Amino acid sequence: MGRAFTYVILGGGVAAGYAALEFVRRRGDAALGELCIISEEAVAPYERPALSKGYLLPEGGARLPAFHTCVGANDQLLTAEWYREHGIELILGTKVISADVRRKTLVTSIEETINYKTLIVATGARASKLEEFGVSGSDAENVCYLRNIVDADKLVRVMRSSPGGNAIVIGGGYIGMECAAALVANKIKVTIVFPGKYCMDRLFTQKIAEFYENYYTSKGVTFIKGTAVSSLEVSSGMVTTAILRDGRPLPADMVVVGIGARANTALFEGQLTLEKGGIKVNGQMQTSDASVYAVGDVAAFPVKLFGGDARRLEHVDCARRTARHAVAAVLDPTGAAGDIDYLPFFYSRVFALSWRFYGDNAGEAVHFGDLGFSSASSTPKFGAFWVSSGRIAGAFLEGGSPEEYEAIAHAVRRGAAVPDVAQLAREGLAFVVRE
Ligand code: FDA
Ligand code: NAD
């Protein structure tokens, strides 16, 4: 059995939702019946960031349909109904198990062959498993990962059955830090374990990390750094203890694992050129096969701002923008869409805190503002600029106003000149806000 579509989006996450909206914006009703989205998930695309924030609130948590893509200022809520109304075929709960880019076919888990003329790969990433680091126990009933809504439901269930209990959070990155905050809100005692010297070490400087670690500590969170969980003791299907490398046992009522993500490239290995752990694309998001585009977490694309250096960015703004750009390029093969010119943007929200980062954390970090933690009830404002070759290459700001975020983004975008680093350190935000 088989079906054929002009355009197929493989994957039903953030990028797929934004690609669909762009498609309808550009094609309107002419698009009817031309496009299909195939997703392993059982629900229409949604805003994945909600899963580690609103979804985990102790009361009144966000639930679908409220956070389908593309909820937010001026965008629409793309429910399953929206796709139906716009003639977009949503093939949900269906995994693609093989792809043949030469023949332009995909085969799904129910053995259906789907033909395409143009394919947009939006398969995102998957959570790395403890087993990849030689630790078994991932399938225990109280071990939680967080990538999709099924994971989030399990996390909520396990959290609710462990009131006042101990959670071991493995990993001090985005998932670890955001979930730790949610666990505290749910009155669970949290210990975070990770091998690095400080949390969020892919992005933060030690000084920035210290602020957040002090803040979390004031909320009762314990950090165990510079080591790893080497095994999990399981009894009747439940982890009871996490054992550290030095043999120290940590009692556990539940475990949350956030030890990184890997791009879902397996279907295309040996068929498309790969780079940086993802699928290599050009500025039009086109892969080494002219009929295949890749967007979101899975795509390694040239960032003009970094001299065309290829980056794979695992953040939601990137998924949204690369998806829109790919659709613009696909629907106008004259090349009018041009090459993507993306300013990398990441953010997070935990407790009462909220930060944004723009650009690249390359070069010398120049801190500003009050990095000394005083009280969790205060409203801190601080950050850092990264200065590379005499220009601002990246900027981080906690607690900024919309105008201040815009100012740091603008400074990074235009590569504001820094003739004197000491002056930048002295002036901090004022250096860019007064411009
Ligand atoms: P995404 O992972 O969203 O979607 C991939 C889709 O492809 C999934 O539906 C998957 O099931 C499907 N798929 C994969 N293989 C398939 C196959 N073989 N067959 C069929 N379907 C297949 N970023 C940020 O900037 N700020 C934030 O606060 C957060 N918060 C956050 C929280 C949590 C819990 C996570 C997991 C991630 C974030 N992120 C984030 C990151 C952000 O969500 C991420 O960058 C985007 O979801 C990437 O969008 P994609 O569409 O590329 O992948
Ligand atoms: P991450 O890369 O941010 O952090 C991984 C963490 O795990 C690091 O602290 C690392 O030191 C640690 N680690 C690595 N191996 C380990 C081991 N064996 N034992 C213990 N710790 C180990 O990845 P993540 O936090 O798992 O996030 C997964 C994905 O979700 C990423 O793509 C991330 O960008 C995305 N995400 C983004 C946001 C956001 O942008 N606000 C929020 C949540 C998730």
Side-chain angles (χ1 to χ4, degrees):
M1 68 177 177
R3 279 186 276 179
F5 293 87
T6 313
Y7 307 102
V8 171
I9 299 173
L10 166 50
V14 172
Y18 283 79
L21 183 61
E22 189 65 26
F23 199 81
V24 168
R25 276 188 184 146
R26 286 173 179 269
R27 294 297 295 263
D29 285 344
L32 284 174
E34 279 190 332
L35 172 65
C36 99
I37 293 178
I38 312 172
S39 177
E40 198 176 352
E41 294 191 77
V43 294
Y46 54 87
E47 300 287 353
R48 203 165 298 283
L51 297 183
S52 54
K53 303 174 190 69
Y55 207 85
L56 304 181
L57 290 174
E59 277 163 30
R63 290 295 178 269
L64 289 175
F67 62 96
H68 279 298
T69 60
C70 307
V71 67
N74 302 324
D75 282 330
Q76 300 175 48
L77 188 63
L78 310 194
T79 57
E81 184 61 32
W82 181 91
Y83 292 92
R84 238 187 329 274
E85 279 168 9
H86 291 86
I88 297 171
E89 183 81 21
L90 265 188
I91 305 178
L92 298 178
T94 304
K95 183 171 182 167
V96 169
I97 53 167
S98 69
D100 185 332
V101 303
R102 208 175 40 81
R103 296 172 60 201
K104 302 189 181 185
T105 55
L106 305 172
V107 177
T108 71
S109 45
I110 56 157
E111 305 271 302
E112 183 179 17
T113 299
I114 310 256
N115 288 270
Y116 61 81
K117 285 207 170 85
T118 301
L119 175 66
I120 298 180
V121 181
T123 46
R126 63 177 174 78
S128 297
K129 288 289 173 96
L130 285 172
E131 282 69 9
E132 295 167 43
F133 295 88
V135 177
S136 56
S138 282
D139 50 2
E141 283 166 39
N142 56 348
V143 172
C144 304
Y145 288 82
L146 186 54
R147 184 72 209 178
N148 56 40
I149 209 153
V150 175
D151 298 336
D153 284 336
K154 177 176 177 182
L155 177 52
V156 168
R157 220 172 35 246
V158 172
M159 240 171 16
R160 297 213 167 131
S161 62
S162 320
N166 291 305
I168 306 301
V169 173
I170 305 181
Y174 289 95
I175 293 285
M177 294 302 278
E178 292 184 5
C179 287
L183 288 160
V184 169
N186 282 275
K187 303 204 170 358
I188 292 170
K189 296 192 232 28
V190 179
T191 301
I192 306 186
V193 184
F194 54 85
K197 271 198 345 207
Y198 53 86
C199 69
M200 294 282 296
D201 57 4
R202 283 201 299 156
L203 177 65
F204 288 2
T205 63
Q206 179 149 7
K207 270 190 173 173
I208 293 175
E210 269 167 15
F211 174 88
Y212 291 99
E213 289 180 8
N214 288 333
Y215 190 103
Y216 275 63
T217 304
S218 79
K219 297 278 188 186
V221 173
T222 302
F223 285 85
I224 302 181
K225 303 185 273 187
T227 186
V229 167
S230 61
S231 64
L232 295 172
E233 283 181 5
V234 180
S235 168
S236 309
M238 306 272 278
V239 170
T240 56
T241 315
I243 312 286
L244 297 179
R245 264 188 210 140
D246 64 3
R248 180 146 60 114
L250 305 173
D253 297 295
M254 63 181 291
V255 175
V256 178
V257 186
I259 54 172
R262 301 209 178 190
N264 290 317
T265 56
L267 291 170
F268 301 98
E269 277 161 27
Q271 302 192 70
L272 300 176
T273 305
L274 303 184
E275 187 169 9
K276 304 245 157 102
I279 298 173
K280 182 180 179 170
V281 294
N282 62 20
Q284 310 251 317
M285 309 309 295
Q286 191 175 35
T287 70
S288 52
D289 182 291
S291 305
V292 182
Y293 291 70
V295 294
D297 281 10
V298 79
F301 67 101
V303 178
K304 276 190 188 173
L305 204 62
F306 308 157
D309 196 19
R311 298 289 169 106
R312 200 172 64 72
L313 301 170
E314 298 170 344
H315 294 278
V316 73
D317 181 66
C318 175
R320 294 169 180 158
R321 287 178 195 264
T322 54
R324 286 178 178 151
H325 197 82
V327 171
V330 164
L331 294 183
D332 187 353
T334 63
D339 286 341
I340 192 165
D341 186 7
Y342 182 60
L343 170 64
F345 162 48
F346 320 155
Y347 72 88
S348 182
R349 292 192 303 272
V350 288
F351 296 113
L353 303 173
S354 170
W355 58 257
R356 289 181 177 213
F357 169 82
Y358 295 91
D360 201 9
N361 57 340
E364 180 188 355
V366 179
H367 296 92
F368 61 82
D370 189 7
L371 277 132
F373 170 76
S374 55
S375 138
S377 60
S378 64
T379 46
K381 187 180 289 188
F382 62 84
F385 294 108
W386 280 262
V387 180
S388 179
S389 307
R391 299 195 168 273
I392 292 180
F396 175 96
L397 176 59
E398 165 65 50
S401 65
E403 296 74 28
E404 288 164 339
Y405 286 129
E406 206 179 303
I408 63 166
H410 182 62
V412 175
R413 160 64 79 193
R414 66 181 196 83
V418 182
D420 178 6
V421 170
Q423 182 199 354
L424 177 64
R426 240 180 359 260
E427 294 186 6
L429 256 189
F431 187 90
V432 297
V433 170
R434 72 181 142 87
E435 285 184 329

